[in-house]
Amino acid sequence: MKSEPNDYSIDDLEKDGQEPWDGVRNYQARNFMRDEMREGDLVFFYHSNIPEPGIVGTGRVCSKAYPDPTAFDTTDPHYDPKSDPNNPTWFLVDVCFEKKLSQALTLNQMREDVELEGMLVTKRGNRLSVTPVDQKHAAHILSLV
DNA sequence: GCCAACGTTGGC
DNA sequence: GCCAACGTTGGC
């Protein structure tokens, strides 16, 4: 799961302990959260839009998927007038802090690692903020950090 | 700050 | 339903 650290960082998650992953307005990312993610699933926390983007920590999915309340909040920047509260468009899960890495696993390192070949987040032009990670890729990442 | 990638919007 | 225009993401 990507986040710009200026907006929400691994340190923020460590401090908060748990955070609703709100504001996602992309159908593919929504589908992963709503349909694929389960409580207890491992999450890699990725810092984007910085000089050295990469994985900076781990977390866990710690709620079932539920409607994103910011979609109904007219004062929220992610307000979506087309999302009907009776039939919500946007869903999210809560993410709980697990661990901050002593050293980030950078995007460059992931791209150079043949074991991580094909990992979605390493692909050029990938803009999805929530992407699935293969079991074998996840296991390898855990062996590195 | 630039720009490639790509999703969304809206005219037709 | 096509596609040009536009907006956003995010690496560089």
Side-chain angles (χ1 to χ4, degrees):
Chain A
M1 302 181 92
K2 295 181 190 172
S3 184
E4 301 190 15
N6 291 338
D7 188 44
Y8 195 82
S9 72
I10 188 71
D11 293 318
D12 293 323
L13 186 62
E14 180 170 28
K15 179 160 48 72
D16 296 339
Q18 178 167 355
E19 177 70 8
W21 209 262
D22 59 25
V24 173
R25 297 293 178 266
N26 171 284
Y27 286 100
Q28 260 186 292
R30 180 211 58 188
N31 291 348
F32 289 132
M33 289 199 286
R34 189 189 60 184
D35 306 333
E36 307 290 335
M37 292 166 78
R38 298 287 177 265
E39 283 184 271
D41 282 357
L42 175 65
V43 171
F44 292 116
F45 196 113
Y46 179 99
H47 279 176
S48 65
N49 223 352
I50 51 171
E52 285 232 271
I55 294 172
V56 293
T58 62
R60 293 280 165 179
V61 175
C62 55
S63 78
K64 296 188 191 314
Y66 59 97
D68 183 342
T70 66
F72 313 124
D73 179 354
T74 55
T75 67
D76 192 279
H78 300 289
Y79 171 61
D80 180 3
K82 286 180 290 192
S83 182
D84 175 1
N86 296 313
N87 184 19
T89 306
W90 304 113
F91 287 75
L92 55 74
V93 295
D94 288 359
V95 177
C96 285
F97 178 78
E98 187 169 76
K99 171 171 107 161
K100 185 178 168 180
L101 305 189
S102 52
Q103 213 180 353
L105 179 63
T106 68
L107 179 60
N108 280 332
Q109 288 174 299
M110 290 192 277
R111 282 179 170 157
E112 285 166 6
D113 194 329
V114 290
E115 301 278 341
L116 297 179
E117 206 172 340
M119 200 177 156
L120 281 176
V121 83
T122 65
K123 294 198 172 160
R124 185 162 183 269
N126 169 56
R127 300 185 310 162
L128 259 189
S129 62
V130 179
T131 55
V133 181
D134 287 354
Q135 195 73 54
K136 63 175 193 290
H137 292 156
H140 183 67
I141 291 167
L142 289 175
S143 77
L144 296 175
V145 298

